[in-house]
């Protein structure tokens, strides 16, 4: 009970923090408008609606990232594009958020003793080299052709390919579990073992 109490206590705390920050952003927006502030095209306009909708979308992206095991930064990229942020800012912000989510997950698996270090080191090296290569190539293309939308296309392509492969992986794993006669339904949060099911 104490474990779940600590876990669930984060919900009202984060909700309160989001509420306070949203109120502050809306108040700053009103002060700027009253002072005759000239907003740039890339500046986010905070209204009561946007201060409610965007945090709600971010929470939904975070829940989806936790359930599906993907980086929340990748899901929040389209949200930030919808907010009107320029593609370079979206790419950098998404990468920064992804850094902390992956780091926390890595530490969690390491503490629990479930880390496969050979796989982890290999994937880290491949991911690092791929990220550097992709960043250099994309920066060169944007600078050469002066097309900022290439960043948006890249984000959309990565999300689309990830969604496709996640769907294929989910179907394949489900079929394998079904063929082995394993339980495909939900289990109790307090149980570590799955219930078998008879397959005829």
């Amino acid at each position: 009970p104490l474990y779940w109490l600590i876990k669930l206590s984060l919900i009202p705390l984060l909700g309160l923090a989001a509420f306070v920050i949203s109120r502050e952003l809306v108040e700053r927006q009103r002060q700027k408008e009253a002072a005759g502030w000239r907003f740039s095209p890339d500046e986010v306009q905070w209204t009561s609606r946007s201060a409610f909708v965007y945090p709600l979308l971010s929470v939904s992206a975070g829940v989806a990232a936790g359930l599906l095991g993907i980086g929340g930064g990748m899901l929040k990229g389209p949200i930030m594009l919808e907010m009107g942020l320029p593609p370079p800012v979206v790419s950098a912000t998404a990468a920064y958020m992804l850094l902390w989510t992956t780091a926390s997950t890595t530490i969690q698996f390491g503490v629990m003793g479930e880390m496969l270090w050979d796989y982890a080191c290999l994937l880290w090296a491949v991911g690092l080299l791929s990220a550097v290569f992709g960043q250099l190539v994309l920066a060169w293309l944007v600078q050469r052709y002066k097309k900022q939308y290439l960043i948006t296309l890249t984000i959309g392509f990565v999300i689309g390919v990830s969604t496709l492969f996640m769907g294929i992986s989910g179907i394949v794993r489900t079929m394998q579990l079904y063929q082995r006669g394993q339980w495909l339904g939900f289990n109790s949060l307090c149980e570590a073992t799955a219930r078998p099911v008879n397959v005829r």
Side-chain angles (χ1 to χ4, degrees), residues 5-97:
L5 180 61
I6 296 175
K7 280 283 188 179
L8 295 176
S9 65
L10 294 176
I11 297 178
L13 290 177
L14 294 177
L16 178 61
F19 175 76
V20 172
I21 294 173
S22 299
R23 290 286 300 273
E24 179 66 21
L25 290 174
V26 173
E27 182 61 28
R28 288 184 181 181
Q29 177 79 17
R30 293 173 179 172
Q31 292 177 359
K32 289 181 178 180
E33 292 176 353
W37 180 271
R38 293 184 178 180
F39 295 94
S40 64
D42 297 330
E43 195 168 357
V44 180
Q45 303 289 323
W46 290 105
T47 62
S48 298
R49 179 182 179 276
S50 62
F52 173 77
V53 172
Y54 291 143
L56 184 61
L57 292 176
S58 298
V59 170
S60 302
V63 172
L67 292 175
L68 302 176
I70 58 179
M74 184 177 65
L75 293 177
K76 293 177 184 175
I79 297 177
M80 289 185 287
L81 289 174
E82 174 64 22
M83 293 172 64
L85 295 175
V89 176
V90 172
S91 177
T93 306
Y96 181 77
M97 289 189 293

Side-chain angles (χ1 to χ4, degrees), residues 167-181:
I168 295 174
S169 175
I171 294 174
V172 171
R173 291 184 179 182
T174 302
M175 293 301 300
Q176 290 176 347
L177 293 175
Y178 179 78
Q179 292 173 357
R180 291 198 295 264

